[in-house]
Amino acid sequence: MKALKIIRITAWGAVAIVAGVLLAFSGILPGVERPGAVTSSTGTGAAAIGGPFELTTHRGETLTNEDLEGKPYLVFFGFTHCPDVCPTTLFELTGLLADLGPDADNITPLFITVDPDRDSQELLASYMTSFDPRILALRGTEEQTDEAVNAFAAYYEKVPLEGSNYTMDHTAGVYLFDAEGEFAGTLDLHEAREAQLQKLQRLAETAA
Ligand code: NI
């Protein structure tokens, strides 16, 4: 009886170890999940993010990566026809920047459209009146857009809908960069608001 019990426990122990190993290698453990496409494209990690780009703001000013030198910033990709994720992100950011107070002035928030065909400067200017005026919407030619997307190791894809309509599949993460231009993680809009504010606060404090 006692021996049988020991065998049973040993057997279950072996099952648990095998299951654990399988789980670890299958990549479904939460810790294994990657934040967006940030580290995927080159495998060299944070150093690969934040390459050169040149875009135009919704106010008609040119903005390049060099303009961001010495300034903490955050960047995310989207498009104005986006039904939920993009407007939600912009809305949440607007609230976070307000709660952050004057320190928010140290952060440059960038919203880069992956749909420059439909997102004209005029449309972006009108769209952005609904959100914090510190958030800059950026657009470029298709070539400039690709350059920016590659600079941040992001991705987008045009997805045809019924008729001649289409939507854009795109990276949804908000990437943070400190004043040295170093990748400082992502902002997860699903995590506790206090945690999000702390991340932005830390980011703002990297400003000289
Ligand atoms: Ni979107």
Side-chain angles (χ1 to χ4, degrees), residues 25-90:
F25 280 97
S26 67
I28 59 169
L29 288 173
V32 178
E33 198 175 292
R34 286 177 288 111
V38 165
T39 55
S40 70
S41 71
T42 60
T44 51
I49 312 171
F53 66 85
E54 179 176 330
L55 296 163
T56 305
T57 73
H58 67 279
R59 300 193 185 104
E61 292 149 348
T62 301
L63 188 132
T64 75
N65 54 297
E66 286 175 6
D67 295 318
L68 298 167
E69 276 172 17
K71 297 175 186 169
Y73 65 100
L74 61 85
V75 61
F76 61 104
F77 292 85
F79 63 116
T80 66
H81 287 67
C82 178
D84 44 48
V85 177
C86 299
T88 303
T89 303
L90 284 161

Coordinates of all heavy atoms in Angstrom, one line a residue, residues 25-90:
F25 N 9.0 25.2 -23.3 CA 9.5 25.3 -24.7 C 8.5 25.7 -25.7 O 8.8 26.1 -26.8 CB 10.1 23.9 -25.1 CG 11.5 23.7 -24.5 CD1 11.7 23.0 -23.4 CD2 12.6 24.3 -25.2 CE1 13.0 22.9 -22.8 CE2 13.9 24.2 -24.6 CZ 14.1 23.5 -23.5
S26 N 7.2 25.6 -25.3 CA 6.2 25.9 -26.3 C 6.0 27.5 -26.4 O 5.4 28.0 -27.3 CB 4.8 25.3 -25.9 OG 4.4 25.9 -24.7
G27 N 6.6 28.2 -25.4 CA 6.5 29.6 -25.5 C 5.2 30.2 -25.1 O 4.9 31.4 -25.4
I28 N 4.4 29.4 -24.4 CA 3.1 30.0 -24.0 C 3.1 30.5 -22.5 O 2.1 31.0 -22.1 CB 1.9 29.0 -24.1 CG1 2.2 27.7 -23.3 CG2 1.7 28.6 -25.6 CD1 1.0 26.8 -23.2
L29 N 4.2 30.4 -21.9 CA 4.3 31.0 -20.6 C 4.3 32.5 -20.7 O 4.9 33.0 -21.7 CB 5.7 30.6 -19.9 CG 5.7 29.1 -19.4 CD1 7.2 28.8 -18.9 CD2 4.7 28.9 -18.3
P30 N 3.6 33.2 -19.8 CA 3.5 34.7 -19.9 C 4.8 35.4 -20.1 O 5.0 36.3 -20.9 CB 2.8 35.1 -18.6 CG 2.2 33.9 -18.1 CD 3.0 32.7 -18.6
G31 N 5.9 34.9 -19.4 CA 7.1 35.6 -19.4 C 7.9 35.5 -20.8 O 8.8 36.3 -21.0
V32 N 7.4 34.5 -21.6 CA 8.1 34.3 -22.8 C 7.5 35.2 -23.9 O 8.2 35.5 -24.9 CB 7.9 32.8 -23.2 CG1 8.6 32.5 -24.6 CG2 8.6 31.9 -22.2
E33 N 6.3 35.7 -23.7 CA 5.6 36.5 -24.7 C 6.4 37.7 -25.0 O 6.9 38.4 -24.1 CB 4.2 36.8 -24.2 CG 3.3 37.3 -25.3 CD 1.9 37.5 -24.8 OE1 1.3 36.5 -24.4 OE2 1.5 38.6 -24.7
R34 N 6.5 38.1 -26.3 CA 7.3 39.3 -26.7 C 6.3 40.5 -26.7 O 5.2 40.4 -27.1 CB 7.9 39.1 -28.1 CG 9.1 38.2 -28.0 CD 9.6 38.0 -29.4 NE 8.7 37.2 -30.3 CZ 8.1 37.6 -31.3 NH1 8.1 38.9 -31.6 NH2 7.3 36.8 -32.0
P35 N 6.8 41.7 -26.3 CA 6.0 42.9 -26.4 C 6.0 43.4 -27.8 O 6.9 44.0 -28.3 CB 6.7 43.9 -25.5 CG 8.1 43.4 -25.4 CD 8.1 41.9 -25.7
G36 N 4.9 43.1 -28.5 CA 4.8 43.5 -29.9 C 6.0 42.9 -30.8 O 6.4 41.8 -30.5
A37 N 6.4 43.7 -31.7 CA 7.5 43.2 -32.6 C 8.8 43.8 -32.3 O 9.8 43.7 -33.0 CB 7.1 43.5 -34.0
V38 N 8.9 44.4 -31.1 CA 10.1 45.2 -30.7 C 11.4 44.4 -30.9 O 12.4 45.0 -31.4 CB 9.9 45.7 -29.3 CG1 11.2 46.2 -28.7 CG2 8.9 46.8 -29.2
T39 N 11.5 43.2 -30.5 CA 12.8 42.5 -30.5 C 12.9 41.5 -31.6 O 13.8 40.7 -31.7 CB 13.0 41.8 -29.2 OG1 11.9 40.9 -28.9 CG2 13.2 42.8 -28.0
S40 N 11.9 41.4 -32.5 CA 11.8 40.3 -33.4 C 12.6 40.4 -34.7 O 13.1 39.4 -35.2 CB 10.3 40.0 -33.8 OG 9.9 41.1 -34.6
S41 N 12.8 41.6 -35.2 CA 13.2 41.7 -36.6 C 14.7 41.4 -36.8 O 15.1 40.7 -37.7 CB 12.9 43.1 -37.2 OG 13.7 44.0 -36.6
T42 N 15.5 41.8 -35.9 CA 17.0 41.6 -36.1 C 17.6 40.7 -35.0 O 18.7 40.2 -35.2 CB 17.7 43.0 -36.1 OG1 17.5 43.5 -34.8 CG2 17.2 43.9 -37.1
G43 N 16.9 40.6 -33.9 CA 17.4 39.8 -32.8 C 18.5 40.4 -32.0 O 19.0 39.9 -31.1
T44 N 18.8 41.7 -32.3 CA 19.8 42.4 -31.5 C 19.2 43.2 -30.4 O 19.9 43.9 -29.7 CB 20.7 43.3 -32.4 OG1 19.8 44.1 -33.2 CG2 21.5 42.5 -33.4
G45 N 17.9 43.2 -30.3 CA 17.2 43.8 -29.1 C 17.1 45.3 -29.3 O 17.0 45.9 -30.4
A46 N 17.1 46.0 -28.1 CA 16.8 47.4 -28.1 C 17.7 48.3 -29.0 O 17.2 49.3 -29.5 CB 16.9 47.9 -26.6
A47 N 18.9 47.9 -29.1 CA 19.8 48.7 -29.9 C 19.4 48.9 -31.4 O 19.7 49.9 -32.0 CB 21.2 48.1 -29.9
A48 N 18.5 48.0 -31.8 CA 18.0 48.0 -33.2 C 16.9 49.0 -33.4 O 16.5 49.3 -34.5 CB 17.6 46.6 -33.7
I49 N 16.3 49.5 -32.3 CA 15.1 50.3 -32.4 C 15.5 51.8 -32.4 O 16.4 52.2 -31.7 CB 14.1 50.0 -31.3 CG1 13.9 48.5 -31.1 CG2 12.8 50.7 -31.5 CD1 13.2 48.2 -29.9
G50 N 14.8 52.6 -33.2 CA 14.9 54.0 -33.2 C 15.9 54.5 -34.3 O 16.7 55.4 -34.0
G51 N 15.9 53.9 -35.4 CA 16.7 54.4 -36.5 C 16.2 55.7 -37.1 O 15.3 56.3 -36.6
P52 N 16.9 56.1 -38.2 CA 16.5 57.4 -38.8 C 15.2 57.4 -39.5 O 14.8 56.4 -40.1 CB 17.7 57.7 -39.8 CG 18.2 56.3 -40.1 CD 18.0 55.5 -38.9
F53 N 14.5 58.5 -39.4 CA 13.2 58.7 -40.1 C 12.9 60.2 -40.3 O 13.5 61.0 -39.6 CB 12.0 58.0 -39.4 CG 11.7 58.7 -38.0 CD1 10.9 59.8 -37.9 CD2 12.3 58.2 -36.9 CE1 10.6 60.4 -36.7 CE2 12.0 58.7 -35.6 CZ 11.1 59.8 -35.6
E54 N 12.1 60.5 -41.2 CA 11.7 61.9 -41.5 C 10.2 61.9 -41.8 O 9.8 61.3 -42.8 CB 12.5 62.5 -42.6 CG 12.1 64.0 -42.8 CD 12.9 64.7 -43.9 OE1 14.1 64.3 -44.0 OE2 12.4 65.6 -44.6
L55 N 9.4 62.6 -41.0 CA 7.9 62.6 -41.2 C 7.5 64.1 -41.1 O 8.2 65.0 -40.7 CB 7.3 61.7 -40.2 CG 7.6 60.2 -40.3 CD1 7.2 59.5 -39.0 CD2 6.9 59.6 -41.5
T56 N 6.2 64.3 -41.4 CA 5.6 65.6 -41.2 C 4.5 65.6 -40.2 O 3.7 64.7 -40.2 CB 5.0 66.1 -42.6 OG1 6.0 66.0 -43.6 CG2 4.5 67.5 -42.5
T57 N 4.5 66.6 -39.3 CA 3.5 66.6 -38.2 C 2.1 67.1 -38.8 O 2.1 67.6 -39.9 CB 3.8 67.5 -37.1 OG1 3.7 68.9 -37.5 CG2 5.3 67.3 -36.6
H58 N 1.1 66.9 -38.0 CA -0.3 67.3 -38.4 C -0.3 68.8 -38.5 O -1.3 69.4 -39.0 CB -1.4 66.7 -37.5 CG -1.4 67.2 -36.1 ND1 -0.5 66.7 -35.2 CD2 -2.1 68.2 -35.5 CE1 -0.7 67.3 -34.0 NE2 -1.7 68.2 -34.2
R59 N 0.7 69.5 -38.0 CA 0.8 71.0 -38.1 C 1.6 71.4 -39.3 O 1.9 72.6 -39.5 CB 1.3 71.6 -36.8 CG 0.4 71.2 -35.6 CD 0.7 72.1 -34.4 NE -0.1 71.6 -33.3 CZ 0.4 70.9 -32.3 NH1 1.7 70.6 -32.2 NH2 -0.3 70.5 -31.3
G60 N 2.1 70.4 -40.0 CA 2.9 70.7 -41.2 C 4.4 70.9 -41.0 O 5.1 71.4 -41.9
E61 N 4.9 70.6 -39.8 CA 6.3 70.7 -39.5 C 7.0 69.4 -39.8 O 6.5 68.4 -39.5 CB 6.6 71.2 -38.1 CG 6.1 72.6 -37.8 CD 5.6 72.8 -36.4 OE1 5.4 71.8 -35.7 OE2 5.4 74.0 -36.1
T62 N 8.3 69.5 -40.3 CA 9.1 68.3 -40.5 C 9.6 67.8 -39.1 O 10.0 68.7 -38.3 CB 10.3 68.6 -41.4 OG1 9.7 69.1 -42.7 CG2 11.1 67.4 -41.7
L63 N 9.6 66.6 -38.9 CA 10.1 66.0 -37.7 C 11.0 64.8 -38.0 O 10.5 63.9 -38.7 CB 9.0 65.6 -36.7 CG 9.6 65.2 -35.3 CD1 8.8 65.9 -34.2 CD2 9.5 63.7 -35.1
T64 N 12.2 64.8 -37.6 CA 13.1 63.7 -37.8 C 13.6 63.1 -36.5 O 13.4 63.7 -35.4 CB 14.4 64.1 -38.6 OG1 15.3 64.8 -37.8 CG2 14.0 65.0 -39.8
N65 N 14.3 62.0 -36.5 CA 14.8 61.4 -35.3 C 15.8 62.3 -34.6 O 15.9 62.3 -33.4 CB 15.5 60.1 -35.7 CG 16.5 60.2 -36.7 OD1 16.2 60.6 -37.9 ND2 17.8 60.0 -36.4
E66 N 16.4 63.2 -35.4 CA 17.4 64.1 -34.8 C 16.7 65.2 -33.9 O 17.3 65.6 -32.9 CB 18.3 64.8 -35.9 CG 19.3 63.8 -36.5 CD 20.1 64.4 -37.6 OE1 19.9 65.6 -37.9 OE2 20.8 63.6 -38.2
D67 N 15.5 65.5 -34.2 CA 14.7 66.5 -33.4 C 14.4 65.9 -32.0 O 14.1 66.7 -31.1 CB 13.4 66.8 -34.1 CG 13.6 67.6 -35.4 OD1 14.5 68.4 -35.5 OD2 13.0 67.3 -36.4
L68 N 14.5 64.6 -31.9 CA 14.1 64.0 -30.6 C 15.4 63.7 -29.7 O 15.2 63.3 -28.6 CB 13.5 62.6 -30.9 CG 12.2 62.7 -31.7 CD1 11.7 61.3 -32.2 CD2 11.1 63.3 -30.9
E69 N 16.5 64.1 -30.2 CA 17.7 63.9 -29.4 C 17.7 64.7 -28.1 O 17.3 65.9 -28.1 CB 19.0 64.3 -30.2 CG 19.5 63.2 -31.1 CD 20.6 63.6 -32.1 OE1 21.2 64.6 -31.8 OE2 20.8 62.9 -33.1
G70 N 17.9 64.0 -27.0 CA 17.9 64.6 -25.7 C 16.5 64.7 -25.1 O 16.3 65.3 -24.0
K71 N 15.5 64.2 -25.8 CA 14.1 64.3 -25.3 C 13.5 62.9 -25.2 O 13.6 62.1 -26.1 CB 13.2 65.1 -26.3 CG 13.6 66.5 -26.6 CD 12.7 67.1 -27.7 CE 13.2 68.5 -28.1 NZ 12.6 69.0 -29.3
P72 N 12.9 62.7 -24.0 CA 12.1 61.4 -23.9 C 10.9 61.5 -24.8 O 10.3 62.5 -25.0 CB 11.7 61.4 -22.4 CG 12.3 62.6 -21.8 CD 12.7 63.5 -22.8
Y73 N 10.6 60.4 -25.4 CA 9.4 60.3 -26.3 C 8.7 59.0 -26.3 O 9.3 58.0 -25.8 CB 9.7 60.8 -27.7 CG 10.6 59.9 -28.5 CD1 10.1 59.0 -29.4 CD2 12.0 59.9 -28.3 CE1 11.0 58.1 -30.2 CE2 12.9 59.1 -29.0 CZ 12.3 58.2 -30.0 OH 13.2 57.4 -30.7
L74 N 7.5 58.9 -26.7 CA 6.8 57.7 -26.9 C 6.3 57.6 -28.3 O 6.0 58.7 -28.9 CB 5.7 57.4 -25.8 CG 4.6 58.4 -25.7 CD1 3.5 58.0 -26.7 CD2 4.1 58.4 -24.3
V75 N 6.2 56.5 -28.9 CA 5.7 56.3 -30.2 C 4.8 55.1 -30.4 O 5.0 54.1 -29.8 CB 6.9 56.3 -31.2 CG1 7.8 55.1 -30.9 CG2 6.4 56.3 -32.7
F76 N 3.7 55.4 -31.2 CA 2.9 54.2 -31.5 C 2.3 54.4 -32.9 O 2.3 55.6 -33.4 CB 1.7 54.0 -30.5 CG 0.8 55.2 -30.4 CD1 -0.5 55.1 -30.9 CD2 1.2 56.3 -29.6 CE1 -1.4 56.2 -30.7 CE2 0.3 57.4 -29.5 CZ -0.9 57.3 -30.0
F77 N 1.9 53.4 -33.6 CA 1.5 53.4 -35.0 C 0.0 53.2 -35.0 O -0.6 52.5 -34.2 CB 2.2 52.3 -35.8 CG 3.7 52.6 -35.9 CD1 4.6 52.3 -34.9 CD2 4.2 53.3 -37.0 CE1 6.0 52.6 -35.1 CE2 5.5 53.6 -37.2 CZ 6.4 53.2 -36.2
G78 N -0.6 53.7 -36.0 CA -2.1 53.6 -36.2 C -2.6 54.3 -37.4 O -1.8 54.7 -38.3
F79 N -3.9 54.5 -37.4 CA -4.5 55.3 -38.5 C -5.9 55.7 -38.1 O -6.5 55.1 -37.2 CB -4.6 54.4 -39.8 CG -5.5 53.1 -39.6 CD1 -6.7 53.0 -40.3 CD2 -5.1 52.1 -38.7 CE1 -7.5 51.8 -40.2 CE2 -5.9 51.0 -38.6 CZ -7.1 50.9 -39.3
T80 N -6.4 56.8 -38.6 CA -7.6 57.5 -38.1 C -8.9 56.6 -38.4 O -9.8 56.8 -37.7 CB -7.8 58.9 -38.7 OG1 -8.1 58.8 -40.1 CG2 -6.6 59.8 -38.5
H81 N -8.8 55.8 -39.4 CA -10.0 55.0 -39.6 C -10.1 53.7 -38.7 O -11.0 53.0 -38.8 CB -10.1 54.5 -41.1 CG -10.4 55.5 -42.1 ND1 -9.6 56.6 -42.3 CD2 -11.5 55.7 -42.9 CE1 -10.1 57.4 -43.3 NE2 -11.3 56.9 -43.6
C82 N -9.1 53.6 -37.9 CA -9.1 52.5 -36.9 C -10.3 52.5 -36.0 O -10.6 53.5 -35.4 CB -7.8 52.6 -36.0 SG -7.7 51.3 -34.8
P83 N -11.0 51.4 -35.9 CA -12.3 51.4 -35.2 C -12.2 51.5 -33.7 O -13.0 52.0 -33.0 CB -13.0 50.1 -35.6 CG -11.9 49.2 -36.1 CD -10.8 50.1 -36.6
D84 N -11.1 50.9 -33.1 CA -11.0 50.9 -31.7 C -9.7 51.2 -31.0 O -9.5 52.0 -30.2 CB -11.7 49.6 -31.1 CG -11.2 48.4 -31.9 OD1 -10.0 48.3 -32.1 OD2 -12.1 47.6 -32.3
V85 N -8.7 50.4 -31.4 CA -7.4 50.4 -30.7 C -6.8 51.8 -30.7 O -6.3 52.3 -29.7 CB -6.4 49.3 -31.2 CG1 -5.1 49.4 -30.5 CG2 -7.0 47.9 -31.1
C86 N -6.7 52.4 -31.9 CA -6.0 53.7 -32.0 C -6.7 54.8 -31.3 O -6.1 55.5 -30.5 CB -5.8 54.1 -33.5 SG -4.8 52.9 -34.4
P87 N -8.0 55.0 -31.5 CA -8.7 56.1 -30.7 C -8.6 55.8 -29.2 O -8.5 56.7 -28.4 CB -10.1 56.1 -31.3 CG -10.3 54.9 -32.1 CD -8.9 54.4 -32.5
T88 N -8.7 54.5 -28.8 CA -8.6 54.2 -27.4 C -7.3 54.6 -26.8 O -7.2 55.2 -25.8 CB -8.9 52.7 -27.2 OG1 -10.2 52.3 -27.7 CG2 -8.9 52.3 -25.7
T89 N -6.2 54.2 -27.6 CA -4.9 54.5 -27.2 C -4.7 56.0 -27.0 O -4.2 56.5 -26.0 CB -3.8 54.0 -28.2 OG1 -4.0 52.6 -28.3 CG2 -2.4 54.3 -27.7
L90 N -5.2 56.8 -28.0 CA -5.1 58.3 -28.0 C -5.9 58.8 -26.8 O -5.4 59.8 -26.1 CB -5.6 58.8 -29.3 CG -4.6 58.7 -30.5 CD1 -5.3 58.9 -31.8 CD2 -3.5 59.7 -30.4

